[in-house]
Amino acid sequence: MLRQWHRRWLLARLRDPAWRHLFDEHPEELVSLDCETTSLDVKQAELLSIGAVKLRGNRILSSESLYMLVKPQTLPQGDNIAIHGLRRRDLNEGMEAAQAVRQLLDFIGGRPLLGYYLEYDVAVLNKYVKPLLGITLPQRQIEVSARYYDYKFRQNPGAYIDLRLAELYRDLSIPAPPRHDALNDALGVAMLYQALRQRGFG
């Protein structure tokens, strides 16, 4: 929950009161989020696709999911296409980034965001969000690799902890979904989070 003074500070800078619902509380609900982009450099990165799925309590609401292709200003080259499997003609049919971000914000509302190395995705999204809202994403953020670190540290303080995504899936006995698909990645992180919750680290 946002501290009241911080909430007031953000609300005072919100450009359009129509977006006040981004501060609404949704007890027991989260949104697992993943973005595929043209680059790992936040300054250069453009959105290619966005995947998100809601969680409520111990349930993953796969019927309440969102997947959008986004048309970047600069279409990806061969290496990037090989990673994401998104061809130029796929992206040519995608929506404009500003429209996709608006839909994402409406989907998220005030729910906390969950992700794997979520800081990167949020930084890329904020390039589009701040011009729209006047503020960056206000939602609380939950990093699944940090929860996993706490879980492993409790077991064996001081030991090396492998935070690679493949290791999280292996160690928590979660079948890894196909990678580099935004919705699959969001669903996979949701499953990891629920596995950690069952172990007391949600």
Side-chain angles (χ1 to χ4, degrees):
M1 181 182 297
L2 286 171
R3 292 184 179 182
Q4 288 304 311
W5 67 267
H6 192 212
R7 176 189 173 95
R8 288 194 297 269
W9 186 88
L10 290 172
L11 282 168
R13 285 154 180 80
L14 191 64
R15 286 189 176 153
D16 184 345
W19 294 105
R20 288 180 65 93
H21 68 282
L22 298 177
F23 295 85
D24 293 345
E25 298 293 334
H26 294 267
E28 298 299 313
E29 291 192 2
L30 306 171
V31 169
S32 181
L33 170 70
D34 186 75
C35 300
E36 300 295 335
T37 65
T38 58
S39 171
L40 293 177
D41 182 339
V42 170
K43 291 182 179 179
Q44 297 179 12
E46 294 185 67
L47 291 168
L48 293 176
S49 65
I50 301 172
V53 63
K54 292 178 184 176
L55 294 80
R56 181 178 302 130
N58 61 1
R59 296 169 55 213
I60 298 170
L61 307 179
S62 55
S63 63
E64 296 187 37
S65 61
L66 181 71
Y67 178 71
M68 296 176 289
L69 290 176
V70 182
K71 183 178 180 180
Q73 291 184 351
T74 303
L75 289 171
Q77 301 301 312
D79 290 348
N80 199 272
I81 293 171
I83 292 172
H84 303 298
L86 295 173
R87 300 163 299 178
R88 293 186 176 194
R89 65 185 180 193
D90 299 324
L91 297 171
N92 276 328
E93 298 175 2
M95 62 180 66
E96 297 298 323
Q99 180 188 358
V101 168
R102 285 176 177 272
Q103 286 194 28
L104 178 66
L105 291 173
D106 281 333
F107 181 84
I108 294 169
R111 296 169 182 84
L113 300 176
L114 169 70
Y116 176 77
Y117 288 105
L118 181 63
E119 182 180 3
Y120 168 80
D121 289 335
V122 167
V124 173
L125 286 169
N126 278 335
K127 296 198 304 181
Y128 304 89
V129 169
K130 191 166 184 181
L132 175 64
L133 302 183
I135 60 173
T136 55
L137 288 166
Q139 295 86 354
R140 181 166 63 91
Q141 297 169 29
I142 302 170
E143 173 53 55
V144 74
S145 67
R147 299 297 174 94
Y148 178 76
Y149 180 93
D150 293 342
Y151 163 66
K152 297 300 287 185
F153 185 84
R154 178 76 61 85
Q155 292 178 329
N156 191 1
Y160 169 74
I161 299 172
D162 187 346
L163 297 179
R164 289 176 298 174
L165 189 57
E167 176 59 19
L168 271 65
Y169 283 124
R170 187 202 65 76
D171 189 46
L172 296 173
S173 300
I174 299 296
R179 289 295 315 280
H180 301 301
D181 174 285
L183 184 55
N184 279 342
D185 286 347
L187 286 165
V189 167
M191 290 188 287
L192 292 171
Y193 179 76
Q194 296 291 31
L196 288 166
R197 281 187 76 246
Q198 292 171 7
R199 293 162 171 80
F201 287 86

